[in-house]
Amino acid sequence: VARMSSSSSPAWCALHGKGGRLRVRKMYSRRLCASTLPTATEASTLPYVDTHCHLDLIFEKMNARSVGGKTADKSGMPAPGSVHHASWLHAVRTREKNFVLQNGVHHTRNGIYESTGASVNTVSPKLEACVTVACSAKAHGRIRKMLIDVDPTFTVPEGVFAAFGCHPLSAKDWEHENLHSATRDLLINHPDKVVAIGECGLDYYVPLSGRVINGSGERETAGDAISSELSNQEKDKHELQHKTFVAQMKMSNEFNKPIVIHTREAESDTLRLMKENLRQDAAIHVHCFTSQKWFAEELLKHFPNLCLGFTGVVTFKNAEAVVEVVKITPLHRILLETDGPYMAPTPKRGEIAHPGHVPYVALKIAEIKGVAVGDVLVAARDATRRIYGI
């Protein structure tokens, strides 16, 4: 894929006319019937990349889901037991044929589309690639089988890239399961497919139930909720997370590879360790950003090549803090992601999140920032190229 520029890329030209002026239709008081909305063939086709997902878990959950009964399955995905990369991608492509995004217009209950007075921009989004993340011993094995150690009778999935590393909640795997050596080997021998290290970082969150989801996407016992005074056990866990995080940052420096960072309720320690162990010009993706605005500001100011990743969380009703971060984040420093199978965006709540849901994230970001959805897709696609080289 050729690098997009603001003057000559096909995607940019599809949205902008001579002189760089955005070609949009203005709508103020008039109404449009749903049947008059542009079709996918009339809209500008723009590519997008899901920069963070877990394909192994997506396919596992889709194959195990229950369908039928009172609640119809409206996901458009293959039937349980038949989901794999080829069948899933076929379902996504089928859906894309008649799928358009249009901001400035909102659907009403009676099937009429009413203008909000904003610029209307219609695009037909097309999934170009995704980055699947392997951050536990179990996930390493699954993604290696999918992309690296592929059975000769199967085809290696096109458009699928990977990040390998160790999630903070699976930190023990870094040494006990030899993930440090496995990650190094992958970076050396498969640089085209393995585009980043991670996800890695710090995670101090423990819910009241005492259960958390680890890097394999499985629930595991984590003890009682931590108090203001950390127990020796919790201190040991934090120390192990710190050690594993630092090791992966040093590996990122050594191989000059992007790093994918996860942080939850550990912002101050995460920022300190990043400043101490990463080059200031490092390519960084702080994924599924749900932290406070001050943390985003510090990261964006200190690391000029850092981007923030936003997921379906930004579409949630209780996402006020995330919305505030989107407002202050420059468009060219935003990455689109799903973190599938978790946190499907509105209007897909209750479904299994997957890369085909990225356009809904883009649409919400466009609404928040008051720009055309096409501009969000173009900017995010270029940011993906800068960070990951895809």
Side-chain angles (χ1 to χ4, degrees):
V1 179
R3 179 176 173 81
M4 294 182 182
S5 70
S6 60
S7 59
S8 61
S9 76
W12 185 270
C13 292
L15 287 173
H16 297 73
K18 186 176 179 181
R21 195 162 52 89
L22 185 64
R23 296 205 306 266
V24 296
R25 292 181 294 116
K26 292 281 187 178
M27 292 173 50
Y28 294 96
S29 59
R30 70 190 180 104
R31 293 184 174 188
L32 283 177
C33 292
S35 61
T36 69
L37 287 175
T39 65
T41 56
E42 297 172 324
S44 303
T45 300
L46 292 179
Y48 67 89
V49 177
D50 184 350
T51 58
H52 193 107
C53 66
H54 304 270
L55 283 182
D56 56 323
L57 296 175
I58 291 170
F59 299 158
E60 179 182 68
K61 288 183 178 295
M62 284 185 176
N63 279 320
R65 75 190 192 279
S66 298
V67 297
K70 294 182 179 180
T71 303
D73 181 17
K74 299 180 181 179
S75 68
M77 293 294 105
S82 65
V83 183
H84 49 77
H85 180 266
S87 65
W88 163 76
L89 185 59
H90 176 74
V92 172
R93 291 283 180 251
T94 299
R95 181 173 173 272
E96 287 174 344
K97 290 178 181 178
N98 296 300
F99 181 56
V100 294
L101 286 179
Q102 189 171 46
N103 65 341
V105 177
H106 298 279
H107 187 265
T108 60
R109 289 183 180 179
N110 60 3
I112 301 298
Y113 284 75
E114 287 188 350
S115 170
T116 61
S119 296
V120 179
N121 173 226
T122 305
V123 299
S124 177
K126 183 175 182 179
L127 176 64
E128 185 176 16
C130 65
V131 178
T132 187
V133 179
C135 51
S136 69
K138 189 173 183 178
H140 269 237
R142 288 172 161 179
I143 300 304
R144 283 192 68 114
K145 187 175 181 181
M146 183 187 298
L147 292 181
I148 309 298
D149 306 323
V150 182
D151 187 310
T153 61
F154 290 93
T155 303
V156 178
E158 291 186 14
V160 179
F161 301 88
F164 282 87
C166 189
H167 192 283
L169 297 178
S170 296
K172 61 183 183 298
D173 288 357
W174 186 248
E175 295 292 344
H176 293 174
E177 301 294 337
N178 212 25
L179 290 193
H180 60 94
S181 296
T183 302
R184 177 176 290 275
D185 174 74
L186 289 161
L187 291 168
I188 293 171
N189 295 308
H190 304 280
D192 292 337
K193 278 293 182 183
V194 182
V195 296
I197 297 169
E199 64 190 272
C200 58
L202 304 178
D203 194 321
Y204 295 168
Y205 174 71
V206 179
L208 293 177
S209 64
R211 301 181 73 82
V212 294
I213 296 178
N214 64 20
S216 296
E218 299 172 333
R219 294 188 181 277
E220 61 178 20
T221 301
D224 297 328
I226 55 175
S227 65
S228 58
E229 294 294 328
L230 290 176
S231 66
N232 289 333
Q233 183 182 21
E234 289 298 330
K235 288 178 181 177
D236 289 342
K237 286 183 179 180
H238 291 186
E239 185 177 343
L240 180 59
Q241 287 189 17
H242 288 201
K243 180 181 177 181
T244 305
F245 184 25
V246 169
Q248 289 173 91
M249 286 190 284
K250 289 182 177 179
M251 193 175 287
S252 170
N253 293 335
E254 178 185 351
F255 286 91
N256 195 31
K257 280 284 189 179
I259 190 165
V260 185
I261 291 179
H262 166 108
T263 184
R264 184 164 55 161
E265 298 196 1
E267 285 78 4
S268 294
D269 283 352
T270 300
L271 182 63
R272 174 178 58 82
L273 291 176
M274 287 174 66
K275 288 182 175 180
E276 290 175 357
N277 294 283
L278 285 174
R279 301 190 319 272
Q280 196 164 356
D281 65 348
I284 305 168
H285 175 185
V286 181
H287 106 93
C288 190
F289 196 91
T290 54
S291 299
Q292 297 298 314
K293 187 166 71 172
W294 73 265
F295 185 49
E297 291 172 337
E298 285 293 319
L299 290 170
L300 293 167
K301 179 175 67 176
H302 188 82
F303 297 102
N305 294 326
L306 177 147
C307 287
L308 302 181
F310 296 99
T311 67
V313 170
V314 75
T315 69
F316 297 175
K317 291 181 179 179
N318 61 349
E320 293 89 351
V322 180
V323 168
E324 290 304 310
V325 173
V326 170
K327 288 179 181 177
I328 61 99
T329 303
L331 196 58
H332 71 283
R333 299 184 72 176
I334 288 177
L335 291 172
L336 302 175
E337 56 169 295
T338 62
D339 201 15
Y342 313 109
M343 300 172 295
T346 303
K348 296 296 182 178
R349 299 294 291 141
E351 293 185 14
I352 296 165
H354 63 87
H357 289 162
V358 162
Y360 297 107
V361 180
L363 189 62
K364 184 63 178 181
I365 290 173
E367 176 188 318
I368 293 167
K369 298 190 79 66
V371 300
V373 65
D375 285 352
V376 174
L377 290 169
V378 170
R381 184 66 190 87
D382 197 51
T384 302
R385 187 176 296 104
R386 293 198 315 271
I387 297 295
Y388 288 106
I390 299 173

PDB file of all heavy atoms in Angstrom, residues 146-157:
ATOM      1  N   MET A 146      -1.426 -19.846  13.673  1.00  0.00           N
ATOM      2  CA  MET A 146      -2.202 -19.137  12.662  1.00  0.00           C
ATOM      3  C   MET A 146      -1.328 -18.466  11.612  1.00  0.00           C
ATOM      4  O   MET A 146      -1.660 -18.453  10.419  1.00  0.00           O
ATOM      5  CB  MET A 146      -3.082 -18.085  13.348  1.00  0.00           C
ATOM      6  CG  MET A 146      -4.002 -17.317  12.409  1.00  0.00           C
ATOM      7  SD  MET A 146      -4.878 -15.959  13.242  1.00  0.00           S
ATOM      8  CE  MET A 146      -5.840 -16.851  14.456  1.00  0.00           C
ATOM      9  N   LEU A 147      -0.180 -17.884  12.043  1.00  0.00           N
ATOM     10  CA  LEU A 147       0.611 -17.045  11.142  1.00  0.00           C
ATOM     11  C   LEU A 147       2.015 -17.556  10.843  1.00  0.00           C
ATOM     12  O   LEU A 147       2.548 -17.262   9.764  1.00  0.00           O
ATOM     13  CB  LEU A 147       0.745 -15.635  11.735  1.00  0.00           C
ATOM     14  CG  LEU A 147      -0.490 -14.766  11.823  1.00  0.00           C
ATOM     15  CD1 LEU A 147      -0.126 -13.415  12.413  1.00  0.00           C
ATOM     16  CD2 LEU A 147      -1.120 -14.590  10.458  1.00  0.00           C
ATOM     17  N   ILE A 148       2.627 -18.266  11.773  1.00  0.00           N
ATOM     18  CA  ILE A 148       4.041 -18.623  11.633  1.00  0.00           C
ATOM     19  C   ILE A 148       4.216 -20.103  11.306  1.00  0.00           C
ATOM     20  O   ILE A 148       4.741 -20.464  10.243  1.00  0.00           O
ATOM     21  CB  ILE A 148       4.821 -18.266  12.915  1.00  0.00           C
ATOM     22  CG1 ILE A 148       4.553 -16.807  13.334  1.00  0.00           C
ATOM     23  CG2 ILE A 148       6.306 -18.527  12.715  1.00  0.00           C
ATOM     24  CD1 ILE A 148       4.988 -15.770  12.338  1.00  0.00           C
ATOM     25  N   ASP A 149       3.788 -20.956  12.213  1.00  0.00           N
ATOM     26  CA  ASP A 149       3.937 -22.402  12.023  1.00  0.00           C
ATOM     27  C   ASP A 149       2.684 -22.952  11.354  1.00  0.00           C
ATOM     28  O   ASP A 149       1.956 -23.777  11.917  1.00  0.00           O
ATOM     29  CB  ASP A 149       4.170 -23.088  13.379  1.00  0.00           C
ATOM     30  CG  ASP A 149       5.331 -22.467  14.135  1.00  0.00           C
ATOM     31  OD1 ASP A 149       6.324 -22.088  13.482  1.00  0.00           O
ATOM     32  OD2 ASP A 149       5.250 -22.360  15.370  1.00  0.00           O
ATOM     33  N   VAL A 150       2.426 -22.490  10.147  1.00  0.00           N
ATOM     34  CA  VAL A 150       1.174 -22.809   9.470  1.00  0.00           C
ATOM     35  C   VAL A 150       1.243 -24.193   8.835  1.00  0.00           C
ATOM     36  O   VAL A 150       2.235 -24.556   8.201  1.00  0.00           O
ATOM     37  CB  VAL A 150       0.862 -21.750   8.396  1.00  0.00           C
ATOM     38  CG1 VAL A 150      -0.460 -22.050   7.711  1.00  0.00           C
ATOM     39  CG2 VAL A 150       0.841 -20.369   9.018  1.00  0.00           C
ATOM     40  N   ASP A 151       0.181 -24.951   9.030  1.00  0.00           N
ATOM     41  CA  ASP A 151       0.055 -26.258   8.373  1.00  0.00           C
ATOM     42  C   ASP A 151       0.166 -26.055   6.865  1.00  0.00           C
ATOM     43  O   ASP A 151      -0.489 -25.181   6.297  1.00  0.00           O
ATOM     44  CB  ASP A 151      -1.310 -26.867   8.733  1.00  0.00           C
ATOM     45  CG  ASP A 151      -1.472 -28.295   8.229  1.00  0.00           C
ATOM     46  OD1 ASP A 151      -1.210 -28.536   7.038  1.00  0.00           O
ATOM     47  OD2 ASP A 151      -1.869 -29.160   9.033  1.00  0.00           O
ATOM     48  N   PRO A 152       1.006 -26.874   6.177  1.00  0.00           N
ATOM     49  CA  PRO A 152       1.206 -26.708   4.726  1.00  0.00           C
ATOM     50  C   PRO A 152      -0.075 -26.778   3.906  1.00  0.00           C
ATOM     51  O   PRO A 152      -0.152 -26.248   2.795  1.00  0.00           O
ATOM     52  CB  PRO A 152       2.136 -27.873   4.361  1.00  0.00           C
ATOM     53  CG  PRO A 152       2.803 -28.247   5.632  1.00  0.00           C
ATOM     54  CD  PRO A 152       1.831 -27.957   6.722  1.00  0.00           C
ATOM     55  N   THR A 153      -1.102 -27.426   4.452  1.00  0.00           N
ATOM     56  CA  THR A 153      -2.368 -27.551   3.715  1.00  0.00           C
ATOM     57  C   THR A 153      -3.252 -26.314   3.861  1.00  0.00           C
ATOM     58  O   THR A 153      -4.299 -26.227   3.222  1.00  0.00           O
ATOM     59  CB  THR A 153      -3.158 -28.784   4.204  1.00  0.00           C
ATOM     60  OG1 THR A 153      -3.468 -28.629   5.593  1.00  0.00           O
ATOM     61  CG2 THR A 153      -2.336 -30.055   4.005  1.00  0.00           C
ATOM     62  N   PHE A 154      -2.832 -25.358   4.706  1.00  0.00           N
ATOM     63  CA  PHE A 154      -3.610 -24.142   4.913  1.00  0.00           C
ATOM     64  C   PHE A 154      -2.884 -22.945   4.309  1.00  0.00           C
ATOM     65  O   PHE A 154      -1.659 -22.966   4.136  1.00  0.00           O
ATOM     66  CB  PHE A 154      -3.855 -23.892   6.401  1.00  0.00           C
ATOM     67  CG  PHE A 154      -4.792 -24.873   7.040  1.00  0.00           C
ATOM     68  CD1 PHE A 154      -4.306 -26.008   7.658  1.00  0.00           C
ATOM     69  CD2 PHE A 154      -6.157 -24.668   7.015  1.00  0.00           C
ATOM     70  CE1 PHE A 154      -5.161 -26.925   8.243  1.00  0.00           C
ATOM     71  CE2 PHE A 154      -7.028 -25.573   7.594  1.00  0.00           C
ATOM     72  CZ  PHE A 154      -6.524 -26.702   8.211  1.00  0.00           C
ATOM     73  N   THR A 155      -3.643 -21.911   4.014  1.00  0.00           N
ATOM     74  CA  THR A 155      -3.077 -20.676   3.481  1.00  0.00           C
ATOM     75  C   THR A 155      -2.854 -19.680   4.615  1.00  0.00           C
ATOM     76  O   THR A 155      -3.715 -19.510   5.475  1.00  0.00           O
ATOM     77  CB  THR A 155      -4.026 -20.049   2.444  1.00  0.00           C
ATOM     78  OG1 THR A 155      -4.275 -20.998   1.405  1.00  0.00           O
ATOM     79  CG2 THR A 155      -3.421 -18.792   1.841  1.00  0.00           C
ATOM     80  N   VAL A 156      -1.696 -19.034   4.600  1.00  0.00           N
ATOM     81  CA  VAL A 156      -1.431 -18.008   5.607  1.00  0.00           C
ATOM     82  C   VAL A 156      -2.374 -16.836   5.377  1.00  0.00           C
ATOM     83  O   VAL A 156      -2.480 -16.325   4.247  1.00  0.00           O
ATOM     84  CB  VAL A 156       0.029 -17.527   5.515  1.00  0.00           C
ATOM     85  CG1 VAL A 156       0.294 -16.422   6.549  1.00  0.00           C
ATOM     86  CG2 VAL A 156       0.995 -18.672   5.723  1.00  0.00           C
ATOM     87  N   PRO A 157      -3.114 -16.405   6.386  1.00  0.00           N
ATOM     88  CA  PRO A 157      -4.071 -15.299   6.212  1.00  0.00           C
ATOM     89  C   PRO A 157      -3.380 -14.024   5.730  1.00  0.00           C
ATOM     90  O   PRO A 157      -2.373 -13.600   6.299  1.00  0.00           O
ATOM     91  CB  PRO A 157      -4.664 -15.103   7.609  1.00  0.00           C
ATOM     92  CG  PRO A 157      -4.411 -16.384   8.317  1.00  0.00           C
ATOM     93  CD  PRO A 157      -3.125 -16.918   7.760  1.00  0.00           C
TER      94      PRO A 157
END
